[in-house]
């Protein structure tokens, strides 16, 4: 896209200082913008104002202290003269798995109430196609703005990958779409100034909204595919991890995904519901996507079924067996409980009248045991629900034998299967698809 004009963008507001907004705000500060960071969470603001990071992030480790935000406030009026407003608030789903746009609407109202004319408003939160034109645009029009004349609206879906040591706010390519040429040009100029990677202009704002939903639905269905393959291979005695690793030697037309005890987090299990719900309004039923969601949602129960079969082989009941759930976080080496499969596994174990103990080294405040040693000393069986580095390094067949563990279900296929299988007289090892 040929940039026909340059825009005087000096001051940026970032609404929502979470795993997306905070690195974004610090990056804008690093690139010379005056930044106003706004968040409704008073405890987080107190932490930030005292110079502390509310969560770990590779980019923040190096830059949070170097580029403190110009203004940190929960007072929205501070954003009034910003040239660019970046909205990075959560977009969860409700109990019915319907998109909950409450945070997005609140943040949009805040900006529409305080912004000056001529500003650029960019929504980074993940939303389904049409949210910008059906939700965001009407709010600004209700405040007397005319889109494309005295306010410019874009969508630039966030692509932060928590815990990723390589890809971060500075180097992940971005797509951006708008309602009009000026909004698009302003957005491309702004993002090109903070991201050292491709900024791809999209045909329209709907296409930009659809990109993220497609990316994460793609990941969801591919994980569901290998989860189904894993269940099939468990029946046939085939090691699914070995097969996927074998298929991954093909240098084209294959992308490895791996089965596990479930799909958690605030993106992969959530985002596809945005598409399913909005497509329904347009008269299309996403059968395949819904089946993928169901397939992934069934993995925690399948994991507990694997434990029940293993205990049966050891002639042990589920009832009153103390089962240790290792890991509560949805993802390895990240402290995040959102949509975590561990939560569903605990519910299933409890329904089978097991006594449940938990240990997550990154979430001690949510764990019933305070160390691996402690939980092993209490349990007769284990379920590895998160492939934290500590578990991979510390769990050995000898350790399980010493603690008289009778069964272990490796929910993330993260342990050395053959080493554990060699102790078949002492305990049963089962993975997911192996
Ligand atoms: N999972 C599997 N099998 C896999 C990959 C993941 O079961 O092959 C599970 C994980 O254990 C976890 C869940 O799925 O419970 C989500 O894992 P994730 O690696 O997708 O992690 P997220 O939720 O942090 O996803 C983010 C997403 N980033 C954004 O939405 C901006 C996603 O698009 C990325 O692809 C993903 O990181 C990534 O690649 O790590």
């Amino acid at each position: 896209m040929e940039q026909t004009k340059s825009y005087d963008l000096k001051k940026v507001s970032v609404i929502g200082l979470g795993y997306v907004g905070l690195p974004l705000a610090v990056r804008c500060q690093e690139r010379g913008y005056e930044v106003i960071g706004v968040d409704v969470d008073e405890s987080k603001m107190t932490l930030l104002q005292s110079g502390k990071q509310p969560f770990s992030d590779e980019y923040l480790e190096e830059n949070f202290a170097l580029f403190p935000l110009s203004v940190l406030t929960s007072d929205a009026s501070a954003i009034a003269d910003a040239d660019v407003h970046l909205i990075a608030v959560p977009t969860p789903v409700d109990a019915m798995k319907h998109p909950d746009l409450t945070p997005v609407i609140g943040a949009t109202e805040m900006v529409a109430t305080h912004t000056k004319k001529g500003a650029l408003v960019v929504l980074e939160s993940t939303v389904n196609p049409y949210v910008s034109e059906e939700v965001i645009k009407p709010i600004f029009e209700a405040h007397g703005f005319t889109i494309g004349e005295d306010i410019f609206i874009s969508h630039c879906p966030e692509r932060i990958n928590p815990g990723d040591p390589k890809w971060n706010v500075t180097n992940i390519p971005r797509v951006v779409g708008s309602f009009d040429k000026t909004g698009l040009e302003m957005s491309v100029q702004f993002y090109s100034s903070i991201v050292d990677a491709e900024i791809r202009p999209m045909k329209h704002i709907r296409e930009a909204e659809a990109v993220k939903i497609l990316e994460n639905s793609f990941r969801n269905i591919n994980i569901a595919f290998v989860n189904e393959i894993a269940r099939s291979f468990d029946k046939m005695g085939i090691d699914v991890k070995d097969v996927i690793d074998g298929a991954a030697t093909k240098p084209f037309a294959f992308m490895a995904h791996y089965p596990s005890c479930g799909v958690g987090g605030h993106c992969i299990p959530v985002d596809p519901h945005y598409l399913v719900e909005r497509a329904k309004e347009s008269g299309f039923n996403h059968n395949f996507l819904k089946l993928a969601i169901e397939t992934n949602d069934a993995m925690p129960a399948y994991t507990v079924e694997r434990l029940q079969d293993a205990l049966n082989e050891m002639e042990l009941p589920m009832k009153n067996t103390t089962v240790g759930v290792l890991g509560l976080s949805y993802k390895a080496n990240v402290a995040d409980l959102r949509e975590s499969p561990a939560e569903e596994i605990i519910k299933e174990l409890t329904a089978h009248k097991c006594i449940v103990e938990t240990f997550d080294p990154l979430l001690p405040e949510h764990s019933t045991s305070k160390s691996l040693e402690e939980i092993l000393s209490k349990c007769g069986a284990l379920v590895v629900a998160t492939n934290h580095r500590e578990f991979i390094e510390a769990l050995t067949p000898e350790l399980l034998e010493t603690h008289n563990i009778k069964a272990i279900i490796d929910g993330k296929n993260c342990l050395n299967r053959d080493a554990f299988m060699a102790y078949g007289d002492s305990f049963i090892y089962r993975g997911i698809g192996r």
Side-chain angles (χ1 to χ4, degrees), residues 120-355:
L120 170 65
V121 183
V122 186
L123 178 65
E124 287 219 356
S125 308
T126 305
V127 291
N128 52 271
Y130 285 92
V131 162
S132 294
E133 51 207 280
E134 292 175 349
V135 177
I136 309 293
K137 186 175 173 199
I139 289 175
F140 281 94
E141 288 170 337
H143 282 258
F145 291 99
T146 305
I147 313 304
E149 284 182 22
D150 53 15
I151 199 82
F152 303 93
I153 296 174
S154 296
H155 183 70
C156 183
E158 62 90 0
R159 282 180 166 169
I160 294 295
N161 177 26
D164 193 317
K166 178 179 180 212
W167 297 106
N168 59 49
V169 66
T170 69
N171 60 10
I172 296 170
R174 306 293 294 272
V175 300
V176 63
S178 186
F179 286 110
D180 49 78
K181 188 169 185 295
T182 304
L184 190 59
E185 284 198 339
M186 291 173 85
S187 306
V188 169
Q189 175 188 314
F190 170 71
Y191 279 97
S192 301
S193 74
I194 63 167
V195 179
D196 299 335
E198 181 190 3
I199 305 300
R200 187 186 188 282
M202 301 299 289
K203 276 175 61 180
H204 187 272
I205 203 158
R206 282 180 210 163
E207 277 76 11
E209 292 166 329
V211 164
K212 178 67 180 297
I213 296 292
L214 179 76
E215 286 168 6
N216 285 357
S217 298
F218 170 86
R219 191 163 174 77
N220 187 295
I221 59 177
N222 276 282
I223 296 168
F225 169 56
V226 291
N227 280 334
E228 179 174 278
I229 291 285
R231 297 183 67 153
S232 161
F233 284 11
D234 273 336
K235 296 282 186 204
M236 295 193 280
I238 297 172
D239 181 338
V240 74
K241 189 173 185 305
D242 195 39
V243 173
I244 293 167
D245 288 345
T249 59
K250 182 178 174 187
F252 50 85
F254 182 78
M255 182 188 271
H257 287 76
Y258 293 91
S260 82
C261 59
V263 175
H266 32 280
C267 303
I268 309 307
V270 168
D271 296 352
H273 287 286
Y274 274 81
L275 179 57
V276 168
E277 288 308 311
R278 183 57 186 78
K280 208 187 297 177
E281 289 175 32
S282 302
F284 184 80
N285 184 16
H286 274 278
N287 284 322
F288 178 50
L289 190 45
K290 288 197 295 192
L291 180 60
I293 293 168
E294 279 166 36
T295 303
N296 288 330
D297 286 353
M299 292 313 286
Y302 179 67
T303 302
V304 174
E305 198 184 300
R306 295 283 281 163
L307 175 67
Q308 185 164 27
D309 293 348
L311 288 176
N312 281 346
E313 275 188 53
M314 301 299 278
E315 295 180 356
L316 287 171
M318 289 280 272
K319 189 174 178 183
N320 295 332
T321 291
T322 303
V323 180
V325 176
L326 300 184
L328 296 171
S329 182
Y330 81 90
K331 187 176 186 180
N333 312 318
V334 164
D336 192 333
L337 285 169
R338 281 175 289 188
E339 307 286 324
S340 177
E343 201 176 324
E344 292 308 310
I345 289 169
I346 291 166
K347 280 183 196 156
E348 287 289 330
L349 290 170
T350 307
H352 282 81
K353 302 196 181 349
C354 299
I355 299 161

